[in-house]
Amino acid sequence: MEFNEKLQELRKNRGMTQEELAEVLYVSRTTISKWELGRGYPSIDSLKDISKFFSVSIDDLLSGENLLTLAEKENKSNIRNMCDLLFGIVDLCSFILIILPLYPNTIDGFVYSVNLLNYTQTTGLNKAICWIMFALLVVLGIIKVILTKMNVEKGNKLLMEVSIIISILTVLFLVVTKEVYAVVVVFLLLIIKGVIFLRRVKTDN
């Protein structure tokens, strides 16, 4: 007997509706329906809850092969979520490009390092472009973290790709404007994001 049939039998033996079981397991009725139709398996945590509620072992619910497949799937999902979260945090770190003294201001023949807020010895256009690029990266980081926390996977990979493209353009722009310290910081963040992105892609395959 397959898992979906076992779950349906256990529920009916208890005289429960799908809605009632969903309330006990803290999932939606649609989720219960999907499980009973054989269109997916519960997470490991949900499987433990089902096992405990119906007083049956997990082995009785799922075969060893299915359990192994489920564990591998959940492990990949956890890795993806961790990569997404870390990527978002790295983008949030772009805020340091605004507040750290990475830009040279020459006063009375002496060169002082100042943050972007106090940086005056560049054109207004260059400064505006820096603000736009850094702000975009921070906003992308905020969106990425929120989506990850809400377990929304749709569009996550696209956000990562957009972020990497913006970072590359930022590096090129800072090289052209000769902002050496800022280039180093953005390049390091880009490398970190590249490593995280490759790890996520590897998990998807």
Side-chain angles (χ1 to χ4, degrees), residues 17 54 106 131 180:
T17 64
F54 289 113
T106 304
W131 272 103
V180 180

Side-chain angles (χ1 to χ4, degrees), residues 36-75:
E36 290 191 354
L37 290 171
R39 293 178 182 168
Y41 293 103
S43 66
I44 296 294
D45 288 336
S46 292
L47 201 58
K48 288 178 181 177
D49 291 338
I50 294 169
S51 170
K52 184 177 179 181
F53 180 73
F54 289 113
S55 300
V56 295
S57 69
I58 293 177
D59 288 339
D60 289 335
L61 293 171
L62 275 181
S63 66
E65 184 179 338
N66 286 336
L67 191 57
L68 183 60
T69 301
L70 179 62
E72 288 176 353
K73 182 179 177 182
E74 190 153 320
N75 184 49

